[in-house]
Amino acid sequence: LLEKMADVRLKEAALIVGVVAACYWNSLFCGFVFDDVSAILDNKDLHPSTPLKNLFQNDFWGTPMSEERSHKSYRPLTVLTFRLNYLFSELNAVSYHFLNLVFHVVVCIVFLKVCKLFLDNRSSVVASLLFAVHPIHTEAVTGVVGRAELLSSIFFLAAFLSYTKSKGPDNTIAWTPIAVTVFLVAVATLCKEQGITVVGICCVYEVFIAQGYTLPVLLDTAVQILRGKGSIPFSMLQTLLKLIVLMFSTLLLVVVRVQVIQSQLPVFTRFDNPAAVSPSPARQLTFNYLLPVNAWLLLNPSELCCDWTMGTIPLVESLLDVRNVATLTFFCFLGALIVFSLRYPGDSSKTVLMALCLIVLPFIPASNLFFPVGFVVAERVLYVPSMGFCILVAHGWKKLSNKSVLRKISWVCLAAVLFTHALKTLHRNWDWESEYTLFMSALKVNKNNAKLWNNVGHALENEKNFERALQFFIQATQVQPDDIGAHMNVGRTYKNLNKTKEAEESYMIAKSLMPQIIPGKKYAARVAPNHLNVYINLANLIRANESRLEEADQLYRQAISMRPDFKQAYISRGELLLKMNKPLKAKEAYLRALELDRTNADLWYNLAIVYIELKDPTEALKNFNRALELNPAHKLALFNSALLMQESGDARLRPEAKQRLLHYVKEEPQDANGYFNLGMLAMDDKKDTEAEAWMKKAIRLQPNFRSALFNLALLYSQTSKELMALPVLEDLLRYYPDHTKGLILKGDILMNQKKDIIGAKMCFEKILELDPNNVQGKHNLCVVYFEERDLIKAEKCLVETLALAPHEEYIQRHLNIVRSKIASLGTVEQSSLPSEETAAAEEKKKTFQNLKEIKNEKKTTQSTVDNNKEHSKNKKLTEKNSVDKETPKKSTKEIKDIEKKRVAALKRLEEIERILNGE
């Protein structure tokens, strides 16, 4: 009969689907807010690149369970559903909200099936509809992290339904449903911890519903057995056997769960749950008062708030506090219901008993009665308890509607409740649209919670509205003057507003609020780990002043002394030590951090940067590779390891360097540096067309990209496309009028290709305006004077150039050639023979052409090996590393390459001089 009644009709399911859709359709337009940021946006466990095993080693927020800062919330199956969302839609919030909506529909339908075990068909539908529209559920349904409640509830109810089938014919035991129940309990617990409480509901169901015992009967039987006047009935032995199996399975789950959290409770502060650290009787009075507060939220969900921590509910510190009346009334009402349900037989008492079980047992983990939790009140933990509440309301409504006098008014009241609740739910969903709307709605309910003021400030900060954010952060410090986090927020915002002095003052206030070290007492257990970031933030602020680097280092060391496992302190200190030019100490800091966390790709990357500073590219590349093993999409490691391979000069590494750069531009398609370095690689491989394409793409993304513009022009000039180089050089010099190499290259092209002597002369004169001692520019200007047939000026110019570079033999030789030509032209002029004048002119022209070749050879040598590529790459490496570094000097191999090209140029010069002397 029960199974037949428990069947859900199609039209009932359709009604529930329609009602849920009508109440929650607007949740699809909400984003990721509040805890969603940590659980979804910042959680690397969602990424396909993260091994699946990490889901079972980390908590709900992606923090390793072994770390003290972990919240110990072990929900791997819920995270797995987030990962599936990410796989199909990455961080598109719509898919996450849609799946939550679907799960809520499933819960409502399964709940209807459970209701039909204890209520008639009509009352069951009423209970299910009440559950579907109750506004208290918006946090669980519209907040993405609420999925833990939804999934756990599905398996929670499924486990209970399975257990209801464990009673076979003639009161025999059906073991298969029990085994399924145990499995489903384990699954529910892996979705959220409260799933294990269904075992208690199954026990109550077995004793008082399936076996039909009442409390008086059980007490009477127990008394008879103790007096030796009777034995335990066989049916009761079977019941005991089932209960023992259930309890043993539960105990096993609890043992596994304790092992997972490594027997450690999470660290919470008095800001998270003030009553948890309060003395007696304030702690007990407050915790007991929270029970009627939760009950009131179920009864009257008119003022909902996403965060009930801190000063939201003031402590009940005295027995004379008027709020104790609410506590007393609640317990009297609850006690009356318990007595009614346990003492009297009948369907009504059974319904009330199961409703009470659904209210009380799933709420126990969040009640603070057995262990402290990190909140005062949380609306989402009322998701399952509200099932029992809805059954109670539906059962009461059934009693009223059966009376002819109250039938109409009961229907009117029911319709009004359903309509107002649905309307409230629809309106409440909009509060979850963004963090700003959510926390502003919370402030309307409660202005005594500093965390809410902080969170509104964070929302404004994310929108770069620092001025308004600062107002909310300051208000948070006024509401809760001893809130360390609020003062840290004020300091950070002042820093963003470039008010360094005010920022430091705020950080110093936060630092002064930190508890002092007590000898022999573990420091970390008395403070939230994130509060220790005040030392990091303050050090990061003052290290911008070169004269205070030692002071910053002292702060990092202080943080480390307080918490030897404070990984971020080692990382930040490593960066500072690099800035202080202490790479060996930086290496020690990073190695210490790696002892704490060898799976952190960022640490291996930072260690690679240290090895670059230590001039050990081989070890640097090994560490880059280790970072990429842990995180194949680590953008900085991809980019800088590719540069290291490129700079090594090893042609065998170029294909891998190219693959890494291609991966990088896939991850960062808007970063012109990736395309530029692909172009440089192509130039190294003599793939001119490919190099041109990459350079052009870099310039499209960043039109003023200095290195890309110059190297593209250089590429054109080296591939006999000098005229195509000119517009590129014009762009370069428009953005960077003082680009010396660009001016030299432009002058060469104007003189050699365009025959624009005046334009070339302007380029070389501009170089000398910028740098009067520029030998290359001065020498090329001498060539221009020669081209203008002003040999006297050319001679004077070469003399001045030689004075700048007395060791450059080619300048002395050219000076000798010009002087010999002056002498020979003087002889020709005295003969006054036109044919000889023509010959002299031709000879001069030919000599200039030879000089241009010499000059071009020199230009090509310097331009090719002037470290344009290296400069750009080193600059990129510096920019990508948060630590300021000087550009590394040229390697020995690079110096040898330069020398080879210089020797080749000098050989060419000697050949030209031999030709001139022969003429």
Side-chain angles (χ1 to χ4, degrees), residues 103-141:
F103 286 144
H104 183 53
V105 168
V106 173
V107 173
C108 292
I109 292 173
V110 179
F111 176 57
L112 175 59
K113 195 174 177 70
V114 170
C115 289
K116 290 190 175 188
L117 297 174
F118 313 110
L119 295 169
D120 60 39
N121 197 62
R122 187 173 63 183
S123 301
S124 298
V125 173
V126 167
S128 186
L129 288 176
L130 280 170
F131 180 79
V133 304
H134 203 296
I136 202 73
H137 299 156
T138 50
E139 184 170 341
V141 181

Side-chain angles (χ1 to χ4, degrees), residues 505-536:
E505 288 173 356
S506 296
Y507 284 139
M508 291 301 292
I509 293 172
K511 182 171 173 283
S512 69
L513 292 169
M514 295 287 285
Q516 299 302 308
I517 299 175
I518 300 172
K521 188 169 183 180
K522 193 177 179 183
Y523 179 83
R526 296 182 291 112
V527 66
N530 63 311
H531 283 172
L532 285 170
N533 284 323
V534 67
Y535 294 96
I536 306 300

Side-chain angles (χ1 to χ4, degrees), residues 26-318:
N26 57 339
S27 69
L28 300 178
F29 300 98
C30 298
F32 294 116
V33 297
F34 203 15
D35 290 339
D36 298 347
V37 176
S38 300
I40 309 295
L41 299 182
D42 298 339
N43 192 347
K44 292 181 180 178
D45 288 348
L46 271 63
H47 302 167
S49 58
T50 303
L52 272 174
K53 65 177 182 179
N54 284 25
L55 272 66
F56 296 89
Q57 295 172 346
N58 299 342
D59 67 13
F60 189 50
W61 318 98
T63 305
M65 294 292 289
S66 57
E67 292 191 12
E68 191 171 358
R69 63 190 177 95
S70 168
H71 282 207
K72 312 300 179 186
S73 44
Y74 188 65
R75 305 162 191 173
L77 296 186
T78 304
V79 179
L80 184 61
T81 65
F82 293 151
R83 187 173 172 126
L84 290 173
N85 269 121
Y86 188 92
L87 186 65
F88 288 105
S89 65
E90 293 194 351
L91 295 176
N92 180 4
V94 175
S95 72
Y96 293 79
H97 288 293
F98 179 75
L99 198 55
N100 271 25
L101 195 152
V102 170
F103 286 144
H104 183 53
V105 168
V106 173
V107 173
C108 292
I109 292 173
V110 179
F111 176 57
L112 175 59
K113 195 174 177 70
V114 170
C115 289
K116 290 190 175 188
L117 297 174
F118 313 110
L119 295 169
D120 60 39
N121 197 62
R122 187 173 63 183
S123 301
S124 298
V125 173
V126 167
S128 186
L129 288 176
L130 280 170
F131 180 79
V133 304
H134 203 296
I136 202 73
H137 299 156
T138 50
E139 184 170 341
V141 181
T142 309
V144 178
V145 294
R147 186 178 299 178
E149 314 289 339
L150 307 176
L151 282 172
S152 180
S153 299
I154 291 172
F155 295 109
F156 179 101
L157 295 174
F160 177 70
L161 286 172
S162 176
Y163 188 80
T164 59
K165 299 174 184 178
S166 64
K167 184 178 178 181
D170 299 325
N171 207 25
T172 56
I173 301 174
W175 289 108
T176 301
I178 293 176
V180 172
T181 297
V182 172
F183 172 75
L184 291 172
V185 169
V187 174
T189 306
L190 290 174
C191 294
K192 193 177 181 185
E193 297 78 3
Q194 69 181 28
I196 202 169
T197 59
V198 72
V199 173
I201 295 173
C202 291
C203 291
V204 172
Y205 172 83
E206 175 65 32
V207 174
F208 296 100
I209 309 300
Q211 301 301 328
Y213 296 122
T214 61
L215 191 60
V217 171
L218 289 174
L219 291 173
D220 184 60
T221 305
V223 169
Q224 293 296 326
I225 293 169
L226 289 173
R227 289 179 177 177
K229 294 183 180 180
S231 59
I232 302 175
F234 180 71
S235 61
M236 191 171 287
L237 286 173
Q238 284 187 312
T239 300
L240 281 173
L241 180 60
K242 289 169 75 173
L243 295 182
I244 289 169
V245 170
L246 272 181
M247 296 308 294
F248 179 78
S249 302
T250 305
L251 183 63
L252 189 63
L253 285 173
V254 170
V255 169
V256 172
R257 184 68 176 82
V258 171
Q259 287 297 315
V260 166
I261 67 172
Q262 301 183 357
S263 304
Q264 294 178 340
L265 287 175
V267 177
F268 297 116
T269 68
R270 60 191 176 86
F271 301 112
D272 299 315
N273 190 349
V277 295
S278 299
S280 299
R283 180 168 64 254
Q284 291 78 12
L285 291 175
T286 304
F287 283 157
N288 281 294
Y289 172 67
L290 294 179
L291 300 177
V293 169
N294 281 279
W296 180 250
L297 286 174
L298 288 174
L299 192 62
N300 178 31
S302 59
E303 292 187 337
L304 300 178
C305 182
C306 63
D307 194 317
W308 295 80
T309 55
M310 289 191 154
T312 304
I313 299 176
L315 295 174
V316 181
E317 299 180 289
S318 167

Side-chain angles (χ1 to χ4, degrees), residues 630-671:
L630 293 167
N631 180 9
H634 194 291
K635 290 179 280 194
L636 296 182
L638 283 169
F639 186 90
N640 287 307
S641 63
L643 297 193
L644 207 56
M645 291 176 177
Q646 186 179 358
E647 289 173 352
S648 71
D650 188 344
R652 294 170 298 177
L653 294 177
R654 285 181 194 160
E656 177 61 21
K658 182 177 179 180
Q659 289 304 313
R660 292 189 182 187
L661 285 172
L662 288 171
H663 192 169
Y664 175 78
V665 297
K666 184 179 178 182
E667 295 288 331
E668 287 285 343
Q670 298 303 311
D671 187 358

